[in-house]
Amino acid sequence: QLGFQETDTVSTAIPITKASFRVNNPEDIPEMFELAFNLATEGRPGPVLIDIPMDVQRAQIELSMKDPENLNSPVVLHIELFAELIEDIRNAKRPIILAGRGVRSAFATELFLQLVEKLNVPIVTTLLAIDTIPFGHPLRVGFIGSYGNRWANIAFGESDFLLVLGSRLDIRQTGADTAFFENRKIYHVDCVAGEINNRIKGCVPVVHDVKLFMEAFQVAVKDEKFSTKEKWLNYIEELKNKWPDTNELKLSEDVINPNVFMHQLSKTSYPTRVVLADVGAHQMWAAQSIEIQKGQFFITSGGMGAMGFALPASIGASFALNQTPVLVIIGDGCMQLNIQELQTIVQNKLPVKIVVMNNQNLGMIRQFQDSYFESRYQSTFWGYTAPDFKKIATAYGINSRTICKPDEVSEAVDWIWNKENKDNPVLLQVMIDTHTNTY
């Protein structure tokens, strides 16, 4: 039976209520959790520790694997489905394909490119799928979402047909008001049934592995011809010219424009297999403007991912690719979370190229404070400082430099990859105006 005992103790002058429960039978576990939650929330609220003995943690157990009701059983890809899909693509005047991270996760980027080139349909991507289509591909539109490319969001919103491949259609892609999405034909391909017709209703559900779906669809369209939607593509190009990413920020000529910088950085970063971005304003500037080429990966921390991800992730990426060069784009706040990994990079002689976008504040949160909290910059600008990362990198033995002006960028991005630095870690600190926003 469940025993209960409560005593008051004092530890380092802090009063702690200590409650102990002993569970003798598995059926008592739910009651233990209920008591733990009650104790945590009633009376004087406080933390509760559920301690699992070491012999239990280390026990070897036999699992009896019963077949649960599988809600994600793939649908049968009937020829009728493909016939309807082909007809809808042909009839659409403004079709769009949305590629999500599921395409890359399925190791299906080559198959994806073959399929979209067959269909002649323009492509938008989510943040995590920027690397599914090369930057210069004629069918690439851009990335969508809260901080997506403006022209891509407009095209996404004005499309009359949507094929979603491996994306959840979450709030970051659609915004909170989803009613306008439901006035078009949408085919939603995802391996999880619960993600389809969840927020966006009226989709044709295709519960399937996206790679297997594309393989079957490629066979179905093998002998089909699809015309190029010239008017639609030209309209998208007009939007792109009207709303260029490099003009989103109205900055003086003597400060570095992050979007312009990302394009300049891309021109010299062809040796890298991987571009990693951390979390924050620099992540969005990179996603908006980095020019990912065929064979390069774009890796970033999505969803509820934490700041500080990119520097340790770059170590894993470099090792996974036999210690080849990787490029890390990181903010000053993120850099301070795992700065000790500079020692790991030096110790293992990893050719990690670190670009610190230093605006000397937590920029994205500071921007929220401008929008919603009357510019009260507590803990983002007030009470926050960033060190000189050039000096810190030098202390670790990493070749480093700082740039502050636009006319310094060209030489600096060449410097990252010059003969002396090519196979060594380097750090480039890029000073950004404190009030540079992300749109």
Side-chain angles (χ1 to χ4, degrees), residues 160-175:
D160 62 0
F161 168 89
L162 186 59
L163 173 59
V164 182
L165 297 174
S167 173
R168 294 182 297 143
L169 285 178
D170 67 17
I171 195 168
R172 282 296 186 97
Q173 277 98 53
T174 66

Side-chain angles (χ1 to χ4, degrees), residues 24 53 83 128 141 155 223 226 234 239 264 292 350 356:
N24 295 325
L128 298 183
V141 178
D223 299 323
F226 295 87
N234 290 338
L239 291 174
Q264 292 175 292
I292 297 296
L350 298 176
V356 182

Side-chain angles (χ1 to χ4, degrees), residues 192-232:
V192 179
E195 300 293 358
I196 303 175
N197 288 313
N198 180 5
R199 298 184 62 258
I200 306 298
K201 308 298 184 183
C203 301
V204 176
V206 184
V207 183
H208 219 289
D209 177 275
V210 72
K211 183 178 181 180
L212 297 178
F213 169 82
M214 289 192 294
E215 286 174 344
F217 192 26
Q218 191 176 49
V219 173
V221 299
K222 183 176 67 171
D223 299 323
E224 303 286 342
K225 299 289 185 184
F226 295 87
S227 61
T228 304
K229 312 287 184 178
E230 293 287 355
K231 187 176 179 180
W232 176 226

